[in-house]
């Protein structure tokens, strides 16, 4: 049987309850989901035989971040926009903090802008959540 050699941080794992999100200068309390990530374009190089002999590296590619928030939170963001369009809200950073005890991790999603504003509401919905997509320049993981 394998032995777990990685101790828990203060006996707890990071969880949704420990996440705080700051967006466009304010704390978003009506957030139910956030998605972000990045990658680097890499490709194996080949020479003689079948196995790669080296690797080339290309562009840094941030994945478009998205958030799911309560409709009321979305309306508050629209109020901040100069003409009521989220796409014209301007450039902002999103700060995501994970806190367990005294251990804090911070990710900064840089130079974000909303790319649209949409709704998806169905009969029987008791709470309306809104998913919004964005574009960003890069992510600071530390």
């Amino acid at each position: 049987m394998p032995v777990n050699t990685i101790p828990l941080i203060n006996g707890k794992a990071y969880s949704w309850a420990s996440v705080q999100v700051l967006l466009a200068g304010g704390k978003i309390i009506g957030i139910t989901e956030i998605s972000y990530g990045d990658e680097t374009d890499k490709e194996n190089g080949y020479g003689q035989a079948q196995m790669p002999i080296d690797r080339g590296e290309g562009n840094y590619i941030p994945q478009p971040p998205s958030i799911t928030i309560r409709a009321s939170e979305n309306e508050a963001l629209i109020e901040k926009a100069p003409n009521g369009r989220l796409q014209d809200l301007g450039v902002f950073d999103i700060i995501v903090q994970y806190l367990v005890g005294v251990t804090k991790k911070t990710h900064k999603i840089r130079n974000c802008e909303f790319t649209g504003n949409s709704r998806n509401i169905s009969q029987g919905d008791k709470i309306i959540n809104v998913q919004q997509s964005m574009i960003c320049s890069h992510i600071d993981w530390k």
Side-chain angles (χ1 to χ4, degrees), residues 46-52:
Y46 293 86
Q48 190 268 329
Q50 296 177 322
M51 300 298 178

mmCIF file of all heavy atoms in Angstrom, residues 46-52:
data_model
loop_
_atom_site.group_PDB
_atom_site.id
_atom_site.type_symbol
_atom_site.label_atom_id
_atom_site.label_comp_id
_atom_site.label_asym_id
_atom_site.label_seq_id
_atom_site.Cartn_x
_atom_site.Cartn_y
_atom_site.Cartn_z
ATOM 1 N N TYR A 46 12.541 16.160 -34.989
ATOM 2 C CA TYR A 46 12.996 14.817 -35.349
ATOM 3 C C TYR A 46 14.209 14.877 -36.258
ATOM 4 O O TYR A 46 14.398 15.824 -37.004
ATOM 5 C CB TYR A 46 11.855 14.049 -36.040
ATOM 6 C CG TYR A 46 10.714 13.759 -35.106
ATOM 7 C CD1 TYR A 46 9.697 14.694 -34.912
ATOM 8 C CD2 TYR A 46 10.669 12.569 -34.395
ATOM 9 C CE1 TYR A 46 8.659 14.441 -34.036
ATOM 10 C CE2 TYR A 46 9.631 12.310 -33.519
ATOM 11 C CZ TYR A 46 8.627 13.251 -33.346
ATOM 12 O OH TYR A 46 7.616 12.992 -32.476
ATOM 13 N N GLY A 47 15.011 13.859 -36.164
ATOM 14 C CA GLY A 47 16.167 13.676 -37.034
ATOM 15 C C GLY A 47 16.158 12.232 -37.508
ATOM 16 O O GLY A 47 15.119 11.686 -37.860
ATOM 17 N N GLN A 48 17.285 11.595 -37.423
ATOM 18 C CA GLN A 48 17.401 10.204 -37.823
ATOM 19 C C GLN A 48 16.624 9.326 -36.840
ATOM 20 O O GLN A 48 16.594 9.596 -35.649
ATOM 21 C CB GLN A 48 18.901 9.824 -37.844
ATOM 22 C CG GLN A 48 19.220 8.507 -38.458
ATOM 23 C CD GLN A 48 19.247 7.375 -37.428
ATOM 24 O OE1 GLN A 48 19.574 7.587 -36.278
ATOM 25 N NE2 GLN A 48 18.902 6.174 -37.870
ATOM 26 N N ALA A 49 15.925 8.354 -37.323
ATOM 27 C CA ALA A 49 15.131 7.375 -36.566
ATOM 28 C C ALA A 49 13.778 7.953 -36.166
ATOM 29 O O ALA A 49 13.347 8.975 -36.683
ATOM 30 C CB ALA A 49 15.903 6.853 -35.363
ATOM 31 N N GLN A 50 13.094 7.273 -35.235
ATOM 32 C CA GLN A 50 11.712 7.610 -34.924
ATOM 33 C C GLN A 50 11.522 8.488 -33.695
ATOM 34 O O GLN A 50 10.451 9.049 -33.504
ATOM 35 C CB GLN A 50 10.912 6.313 -34.700
ATOM 36 C CG GLN A 50 10.814 5.460 -35.932
ATOM 37 C CD GLN A 50 10.076 4.167 -35.644
ATOM 38 O OE1 GLN A 50 10.235 3.585 -34.576
ATOM 39 N NE2 GLN A 50 9.281 3.717 -36.604
ATOM 40 N N MET A 51 12.521 8.615 -32.853
ATOM 41 C CA MET A 51 12.366 9.351 -31.608
ATOM 42 C C MET A 51 12.797 10.810 -31.769
ATOM 43 O O MET A 51 13.697 11.120 -32.546
ATOM 44 C CB MET A 51 13.202 8.711 -30.493
ATOM 45 C CG MET A 51 12.823 7.288 -30.191
ATOM 46 S SD MET A 51 11.117 7.229 -29.614
ATOM 47 C CE MET A 51 10.896 5.497 -29.403
ATOM 48 N N PRO A 52 12.153 11.709 -31.033
ATOM 49 C CA PRO A 52 12.552 13.123 -31.108
ATOM 50 C C PRO A 52 13.985 13.303 -30.608
ATOM 51 O O PRO A 52 14.420 12.609 -29.687
ATOM 52 C CB PRO A 52 11.572 13.839 -30.185
ATOM 53 C CG PRO A 52 10.640 12.828 -29.654
ATOM 54 C CD PRO A 52 11.051 11.490 -30.125
#
